[in-house]
Amino acid sequence: MTMRAQCCVVGGGPAGMMAGLLLARQGVEVIVLEKHADFLRDFRGDTVHPSTLELIAELGWIEEFLSLPHTKMPHVTVNMGGKDVTFADFSRLKVRCPYIAFMPQWDVLDFLADKATAYPSFRLLRRAQARELLTERGRVTGVLADTEDGPVEVRANLVIGADGRHSTVRARADLAPVNDSPPMDVLWFRLPRRAEDRVPFFQGGKGALISIDRGDYWQIAYAVPATAFAELKAAGLPAFRDRVAELAPALRDRTRQIDDWEAVHQLTVQVNRLTRWHRPGVLCIGDAAHAMSPAGGVGINLAVQDAVATANLLGPLLARGGVPEDVELARVQSRRQRAARVTQAFQLGILRDLYPKDLGDDTTQHVPPIFTAFRTLPPLRHLMGRFIGMGVRPEHIAEAATTAR
């Protein structure tokens, strides 16, 4: 089967769904390919930054969006050796929502998908796995995808690769990332949550533990030195449970529920970036263009900002039936690449000492110098709040004719 669109977006994550929605809002015929049947993933991030909340407010949907279950975090506090240090304060941001909203990403994506389907030019294909890029005379002209009903060719004036850090689009377009060495891997597991629990958002020590409130359970992200998982497994589950209990004493009585290594999932952190985000007919954005460390949860924020810039710069041309040339695609990269590079440099440089160098390393003994500065100079917390909450170059929604049904 062959389908036709002005733009084919590969990947239904934050970058892909936001790009598809904003392009359809401008009247662009968009097909979004999502390889899964739904958006339910344990390993999706939960942070919705002030800049993203501001975008939703600009679209006129903020009250409806905030009616979804969420919690608010007006500042980021890091517990270092039993002492709380405020790392970022969002309270002075000149936005409608000066806080990070913690909301399951599947709820965010369902919300965006629901809004997008109100536009007649938008179509979301689930269980559609991109396999190859279609090319003619050196230019990408579409995507070959596997679906439940068999192979589908989606012909398009532009293909947007928003399919994450393991991007098929990026690989098929021969766009090779430059890799940096991240300081950690992340181990994910669940522990039951009680209403009276007071578990720190971030706890430093022999490892770094981030706790995410998922209602009836804690989603735990345990940051360990890169490649240390094998050493932890060799030491045994009791030793692993003791490590978790040391970082989160309030959960000690529940750590026995980690009764099998199958319950602990290793996520290898990648930090990389493309030197060139595009080829004729194809553009990569979000993690496909610049995979981020989980530090600060800023990867989602950057992905959404990429999508807004893409829709603002390319939407009018696509809506007229135009075919973006390399110079137009390069404008997206030119606008967004500095923000990605500065953020990655911050994650890999300033925050490096926040994570343990080996399994015996106690991070409370080498607190990053920037944390000492935050203790003595509180205004720095507000600057960090702007950096994390808004990003290096916040984007805004361009005006467009509303074509929703």
Side-chain angles (χ1 to χ4, degrees), residues 68-404:
L68 298 172
H70 69 283
T71 57
K72 299 176 182 178
M73 186 172 69
H75 50 79
V76 177
T77 298
V78 178
N79 187 289
M80 301 292 294
K83 297 180 179 179
D84 288 343
V85 179
T86 299
F87 178 62
D89 189 338
F90 310 112
S91 62
R92 295 188 183 180
L93 293 177
K94 304 300 182 184
V95 292
R96 277 158 278 205
C97 302
Y99 51 81
I100 285 179
F102 271 81
M103 182 184 296
Q105 194 177 112
W106 50 78
D107 286 344
V108 176
L109 295 176
D110 280 334
F111 180 90
L112 296 178
D114 181 65
K115 291 298 184 183
T117 54
Y119 297 97
S121 61
F122 178 89
R123 185 169 181 182
L124 172 62
L125 295 185
R126 300 179 188 267
R127 296 190 180 95
Q129 171 71 62
R131 188 204 313 167
E132 299 288 346
L133 295 178
L134 306 173
T135 60
E136 293 180 10
R137 294 186 294 276
R139 181 183 183 85
V140 173
T141 57
V143 178
L144 175 63
D146 294 321
T147 74
E148 287 186 313
D149 299 321
V152 172
E153 287 188 0
V154 180
R155 298 284 177 172
N157 293 0
L158 175 66
V159 172
I160 296 177
D163 48 344
R165 60 191 60 221
H166 303 292
S167 172
T168 297
V169 171
R170 182 178 69 192
R172 298 296 184 266
D174 292 325
L175 295 169
V178 175
N179 293 294
D180 287 314
S181 177
M184 62 177 178
D185 283 347
V186 176
L187 307 181
W188 283 84
F189 54 92
R190 297 182 182 187
L191 290 175
R193 181 184 176 278
R194 298 172 187 156
E196 67 273 15
D197 280 347
R198 294 293 181 269
V199 178
F201 171 68
F202 186 106
Q203 172 77 46
K206 292 185 178 179
L209 186 145
I210 300 95
S211 52
I212 301 172
D213 182 353
R214 288 272 171 83
D216 58 351
Y217 68 93
W218 291 106
Q219 183 75 56
I220 304 294
Y222 181 29
V224 298
T227 72
F229 191 35
E231 188 177 345
L232 286 170
K233 292 177 75 172
L237 274 172
F240 180 75
R241 290 193 290 261
D242 286 344
R243 282 179 166 272
V244 174
E246 182 181 348
L247 291 169
L251 302 179
R252 180 178 291 277
D253 63 330
R254 279 159 275 176
T255 58
R256 287 191 173 277
Q257 298 206 22
I258 310 172
D259 56 4
D260 192 291
W261 286 113
E262 292 297 318
V264 182
H265 305 274
Q266 180 186 17
L267 297 182
T268 300
V269 175
Q270 294 182 2
V271 178
N272 60 45
R273 63 186 176 277
L274 294 176
T275 56
R276 180 182 172 91
W277 295 17
H278 55 91
R279 291 272 188 260
V282 62
L283 170 70
C284 288
I285 61 174
D287 275 3
H290 44 74
M292 312 299 291
S293 157
V298 294
I300 300 169
N301 182 53
L302 281 168
V304 169
Q305 300 292 314
D306 286 356
V308 175
T310 299
N312 288 347
L313 292 171
L314 303 181
L317 173 63
L318 289 167
R320 297 193 301 269
V323 178
E325 298 298 332
D326 257 15
V327 64
E328 280 96 13
L329 303 182
R331 289 193 185 110
V332 177
Q333 177 177 349
S334 177
R335 183 169 182 85
R336 297 301 311 159
Q337 68 178 351
R338 179 174 175 269
R341 288 180 178 177
V342 170
T343 306
Q344 286 182 335
F346 171 78
Q347 289 183 323
L348 292 172
I350 295 176
L351 293 184
R352 183 176 296 274
D353 284 343
L354 197 60
Y355 302 102
K357 306 295 187 295
D358 55 59
L359 289 178
D361 183 19
D362 187 343
T363 56
T364 62
Q365 302 304 312
H366 52 78
V367 177
I370 194 170
F371 280 82
T372 302
F374 288 151
R375 287 173 178 162
T376 56
L377 297 171
L380 291 178
R381 304 169 188 171
H382 302 295
L383 293 176
M384 186 57 64
R386 177 169 181 78
F387 178 77
I388 291 178
M390 302 303 294
V392 174
R393 189 172 196 173
E395 302 290 345
H396 296 279
I397 306 292
E399 291 298 321
T402 301
T403 57

Side-chain angles (χ1 to χ4, degrees), residues 14-52:
M17 289 307 305
M18 183 61 82
L21 185 159
L22 294 179
L23 288 171
R25 180 174 173 268
Q26 298 180 58
V28 178
E29 295 177 349
V30 182
I31 294 175
V32 176
L33 304 179
E34 167 55 39
K35 65 180 179 181
H36 297 288
D38 54 46
F39 298 123
L40 291 171
R41 302 293 172 276
D42 268 347
F43 312 128
R44 290 195 184 279
D46 290 63
T47 55
V48 186
H49 285 62
S51 61
T52 302

